[in-house]
Amino acid sequence: LMPGQYNNDTMLDTITNMIFAGAPPFYGKEAKNYGPHSDKRLESLKVISKRRKELMKDKDYVYIQTIGVLCEYQGKGIGGRLLRASFEAIDSLKVPTYLETESKENEALYQHFGFNTAEVLELEAKGTSTKLPMYLMIRPPK
């Protein structure tokens, strides 16, 4: 979870992230393991950040960038407990929650927790014909 106003789009942030985590593997020798156009697929994600900034402009909000439960623990209610605990803290701030997800199943899950789908993007990497949906979702404070 991070404050929505956190901006990690500067060149310094990119360089710092690459120092700590390394360059994405598909930009180096490992590219052959990620399939053709993997670098273009990564580049196509930039539109998501742009749309988030436009949708949440002039608002304080919390951005759920990544959340998940290990496979062996899925289906045991752990994800729901994690989300409810997060929403309790976020709701105390009286701000909306924003996230993106890539499947219709996840969209339904987040709708169960009070999210509304603000927009569905069709992501397409240049040079490929594959289109991937991305659901941009907002949960108002309770």
Side-chain angles (χ1 to χ4, degrees):
L1 303 176
M2 67 174 54
Q5 292 71 28
Y6 178 74
N7 183 359
N8 62 348
D9 294 337
T10 68
M11 182 55 76
L12 179 60
D13 291 313
T14 301
I15 292 169
T16 303
N17 290 339
M18 289 177 77
I19 289 170
F20 286 112
F26 37 79
Y27 283 123
K29 293 184 282 186
E30 296 292 317
K32 65 183 181 298
N33 298 327
Y34 289 87
H37 308 296
S38 56
D39 56 336
K40 291 179 176 76
R41 287 193 302 273
L42 178 66
E43 292 296 320
S44 74
L45 299 178
K46 287 182 178 179
V47 70
I48 298 171
S49 179
K50 180 181 179 203
R51 288 300 299 140
R52 173 177 34 94
K53 289 174 184 173
E54 292 169 356
L55 285 169
M56 303 308 287
K57 185 180 179 186
D58 301 325
K59 296 178 189 168
D60 290 334
Y61 65 100
V62 172
Y63 175 33
I64 299 180
Q65 185 177 27
T66 305
I67 192 165
V69 176
L70 293 172
C71 292
E72 61 264 26
Y73 298 105
Q74 291 178 2
K76 299 179 181 183
I78 295 170
R81 288 195 301 267
L82 179 61
L83 285 169
R84 281 188 288 279
S86 299
F87 297 144
E88 186 176 323
I90 295 167
D91 289 344
S92 73
L93 300 172
K94 305 285 189 225
V95 298
T97 309
Y98 172 90
L99 60 75
E100 299 113 6
T101 192
E102 69 284 345
S103 74
K104 197 76 173 152
E105 294 81 10
N106 286 351
E107 179 192 32
L109 169 76
Y110 292 123
Q111 286 172 339
H112 172 77
F113 285 100
F115 280 86
N116 300 306
T117 303
E119 185 173 350
V120 179
L121 297 176
E122 290 281 328
L123 301 179
E124 182 177 13
K126 291 179 183 174
T128 70
S129 60
T130 304
K131 292 185 179 183
L132 300 171
M134 187 60 68
Y135 302 85
L136 312 183
M137 304 187 75
I138 301 169
R139 178 184 178 271
K142 305 286 182 204

